Amino acid sequence: MVSAATLHRKPPDPPSAPGPTPAAPRRTALPTALPAWAWALPPVLVLALGFLYPLALVVRQSFTPESLDEGGVSLAPYTEVFASAAFREALTTTVWLAAGATVGCLILGFALALVIAFVPFPGGKAVARFIDVFLSFPSFLITLALLFVYGSVGMANGAWTGVTGAAEGPFHFLTTPWGVLLAEITYFTPFVMRPLLAAFSQLDTAQLEVASSLGAGPLRIVRQVILPEALPALAAGGSLVLVLCLNEFGIVLFTGAKGVTTLPTLVYSKAILESDYLAACVVAVVNVVLSVGLYSLYRVVSRRAGA
């Protein structure tokens, strides 16, 4: 039975017509008596004096051998450096270490990001936050940690000699190119995981549920649903790691790898140990050209992938 109170209830007010959407506030410049170029002048001067001028001196020195008069320009220094076996070996080592570390970071970073994003486990959020903290660590700190574990007098060799009574342990790979590769993969993997975790957080979970309800297994879901969405982040992270590995100096130096010479360490050796500043400038220019080229590639890939 309907009550009288219900019959006499005041009908709800009709919804008001939507008004015009307020326009976004316009960004106005600060009132100033100085022209715009005057505000840009101080940072441009700092950049020019602190970076561009020293770089220009290095480039100029690389084209000016001591045998020429002042102001002379010659390609002889480049010809001499390119013909040396040390430069070719350093260039080859730099390229394969950077490429190998990038591939390793992509594989390991993708696998770890999948676990953190889609496999619930206690402390998963703490692990994701630790990745952000890990990005701030210096590279030599990670290498030093690996030396404590796998170095000649590290924990692994100490445990081996303690159990077997041998004079020395079997772990000596850190002083080889494989040790440098392991250290670079360990340090740079979070640089791939960070954009991947951001991409996975934007993934619509309904796609995963639909794929699972249709009978797709975990591997098929990863291959056909998750991986296509992760490709932009993988491309951006991989390009960035490639650029960083190309210029890595601290890891190679702190591992003490014998016979492992990269372009940055060759610059250090030529300039500091041999006092051959002309050859050091040539190698530095080559390293800068490679870095700028790879960075340009990184920007193109990031723009096209929408990362």
Side-chain angles (χ1 to χ4, degrees):
M1 182 175 182
V2 181
S3 64
T6 303
L7 292 175
H8 292 84
R9 181 179 300 168
K10 183 181 179 181
D13 296 332
S16 58
T21 304
R26 297 181 61 184
R27 183 177 300 175
T28 58
L30 293 175
T32 176
L34 297 176
W37 62 265
W39 290 99
L41 187 59
V44 170
L45 288 177
V46 172
L47 179 64
L49 295 177
F51 174 73
L52 296 180
Y53 179 67
L55 180 60
L57 290 180
V58 171
V59 175
R60 178 187 176 186
Q61 182 64 35
S62 68
F63 288 98
T64 309
E66 297 178 356
S67 58
L68 292 181
D69 295 335
E70 185 176 357
V73 176
S74 174
L75 293 176
Y78 285 85
T79 304
E80 183 178 353
V81 170
F82 289 170
S84 65
F87 172 79
R88 294 196 300 269
E89 182 181 354
L91 179 61
T92 303
T93 302
T94 302
V95 171
W96 86 258
L97 278 177
T102 301
V103 173
C105 290
L106 289 175
I107 296 174
L108 183 60
F110 183 72
L112 294 177
L114 278 178
V115 173
I116 294 175
F118 299 107
V119 180
F121 63 93
K125 293 183 178 180
V127 173
R129 293 192 185 98
F130 175 74
I131 293 174
D132 295 332
V133 178
F134 190 93
L135 296 177
S136 65
F137 290 171
S139 59
F140 72 84
L141 182 62
I142 306 304
T143 309
L144 190 62
L146 290 176
L147 288 173
F148 283 145
V149 178
Y150 298 109
S152 301
V153 292
M155 294 186 298
N157 284 322
W160 179 274
T161 56
V163 172
T164 63
E168 60 180 13
F171 303 104
H172 301 287
F173 61 89
L174 279 183
T175 57
T176 68
W178 301 109
V180 177
L181 185 64
L182 173 64
E184 291 188 350
I185 292 175
T186 302
Y187 178 70
F188 289 112
T189 292
F191 288 82
V192 174
M193 295 177 62
R194 184 65 269 170
L196 280 176
L197 291 175
F200 290 160
S201 66
Q202 303 296 325
L203 184 63
D204 187 5
T205 56
Q207 301 181 32
L208 307 181
E209 296 173 357
V210 170
S212 179
S213 63
L214 294 176
L219 293 179
R220 187 175 181 181
I221 292 176
V222 171
R223 185 176 67 252
Q224 297 185 354
V225 180
I226 297 178
L227 183 58
E229 297 292 334
L231 284 179
L234 280 173
S239 301
L240 178 61
V241 169
L242 185 62
V243 174
L244 294 175
C245 289
L246 184 71
N247 297 285
E248 181 55 39
F249 176 77
I251 289 179
V252 182
L253 184 66
F254 270 79
T255 53
K258 299 177 180 179
V260 179
T261 303
T262 60
L263 291 180
T265 58
L266 184 61
V267 173
Y268 172 81
S269 176
K270 291 293 184 181
I272 305 301
L273 303 181
E274 302 178 18
S275 298
D276 189 355
Y277 298 106
L278 180 59
C281 290
V282 172
V283 179
V285 170
V286 173
N287 202 1
V288 169
V289 170
L290 289 177
S291 300
V292 172
L294 285 178
Y295 179 75
S296 302
L297 176 63
Y298 162 68
R299 296 294 299 173
V300 171
V301 170
S302 300
R303 191 182 306 112
R304 292 186 176 180

